[in-house]
Amino acid sequence: MGSHSTRSDELDNEFLKQMEFLIEIDKLKNIERKTKTIHGERLENDAEHSWHLAMMALVLSGQANQEVDLLKVIKMLLVHDIVEIDAGDTFAYDALGHEDKWERENAAAKRIFGLLPSDQAQELIELWLEFEKKETKEAKFASSLDRLQPLIHNHLNEGHTWKKYGITSGQVMKRNAEIANGSEKLWDYAQGIIQKSVQQGYLNE
């Protein structure tokens, strides 16, 4: 009876940790990005961005350079920005912000994922690290989607973010060239978007 009670307490404790984590990550809905939603005037938040990327993976996985583990890609995309609850959204073209980005996000990963039971915490930290390192085929493809999505948004919003922050086509090309590491098809598409954006006056050369 005693051992059964102890095991039950352990399970209850794990469950409470899981619920604490799930409640904590609701804060992701409050982290605004620099990009507007495609069909509205407000800024997109991190939770919406992560959901959109997961859907992109589901639909576009056949466009990856190599066959990928789709579930792993989706898992990475769902967890990749959770650290921004603490670290904030670092703008892609903010050189100063990127100087301490790793330190801020690593500390955030340990705190937020650390709310979970140890085995799940370890799994999510490893997924987050894999995405950040961009070495595996899954991480490369996930990163391709993460680069492509705001590019589509900016083009369809007539260069809103690019114009606001004075971003040039050269900066956009350099930032997004790594899309090719995960999908040559998506990189071809991205280059077409950049060229159209310059021609339409949404992006300065």
Side-chain angles (χ1 to χ4, degrees):
M1 185 73 177
S3 62
H4 176 76
S5 177
T6 301
R7 178 60 182 152
S8 178
D9 289 344
E10 287 175 359
L11 290 173
D12 283 346
N13 188 45
E14 287 192 358
F15 171 71
L16 291 174
K17 286 182 177 180
Q18 290 168 332
M19 294 308 300
E20 182 182 4
F21 170 78
L22 292 171
I23 291 167
E24 180 70 7
I25 64 170
D26 187 72
K27 292 176 180 177
L28 202 63
K29 298 172 186 175
N30 297 323
I31 306 300
E32 285 189 339
R33 293 168 51 78
K34 299 294 190 292
T35 313
K36 290 199 303 183
T37 60
I38 295 172
H39 304 289
E41 288 302 311
R42 66 175 177 81
L43 294 175
E44 176 189 44
N45 67 53
D46 266 351
E48 294 166 331
H49 170 67
S50 299
W51 163 80
H52 207 176
L53 294 181
M55 284 301 303
M56 288 174 73
L58 185 61
V59 173
L60 298 172
S61 61
Q63 308 300 335
N65 289 339
Q66 298 174 270
E67 187 174 342
V68 294
D69 179 341
L70 178 58
L71 178 58
K72 191 174 188 182
V73 172
I74 290 174
K75 283 181 178 181
M76 274 193 273
L77 292 172
L78 289 174
V79 305
H80 84 290
D81 271 349
I82 285 176
V83 295
E84 294 187 0
I85 288 171
D86 286 358
D89 174 49
T90 304
F91 184 41
Y93 302 98
D94 178 6
L96 185 62
H98 279 267
E99 288 182 3
D100 66 345
K101 180 175 182 285
W102 167 252
E103 288 78 9
R104 288 184 286 112
E105 292 190 348
N106 192 43
K110 290 177 180 176
R111 184 194 76 79
I112 300 167
F113 297 133
L115 296 172
L116 285 163
S118 59
D119 57 338
Q120 289 186 315
Q122 188 62 32
E123 179 191 4
L124 297 198
I125 286 174
E126 287 176 3
L127 283 166
W128 176 73
L129 286 171
E130 182 175 343
F131 177 86
E132 289 295 311
K133 291 177 181 177
K134 300 173 188 173
E135 293 172 351
T136 65
K137 59 186 181 179
E138 284 79 18
K140 288 175 183 176
F141 182 61
S143 181
S144 293
L145 299 173
D146 188 39
R147 290 283 194 270
L148 179 62
Q149 192 251 14
L151 195 63
I152 295 170
H153 279 235
N154 275 307
H155 174 67
L156 295 176
N157 282 315
E158 301 183 354
H160 168 264
T161 308
W162 295 328
K163 290 176 180 177
K164 183 175 181 179
Y165 296 97
I167 306 303
T168 66
S169 61
Q171 287 175 286
V172 175
M173 287 289 287
K174 183 179 179 181
R175 164 78 180 172
N176 292 289
E178 71 173 49
I179 290 174
N181 297 337
S183 172
E184 292 285 354
K185 176 77 171 180
L186 297 186
W187 177 227
D188 286 344
Y189 182 76
Q191 289 177 92
I193 287 176
I194 296 168
Q195 289 166 4
K196 285 180 186 176
S197 296
V198 171
Q199 291 165 2
Q200 293 169 329
Y202 302 161
L203 184 59
N204 291 327
E205 291 191 80

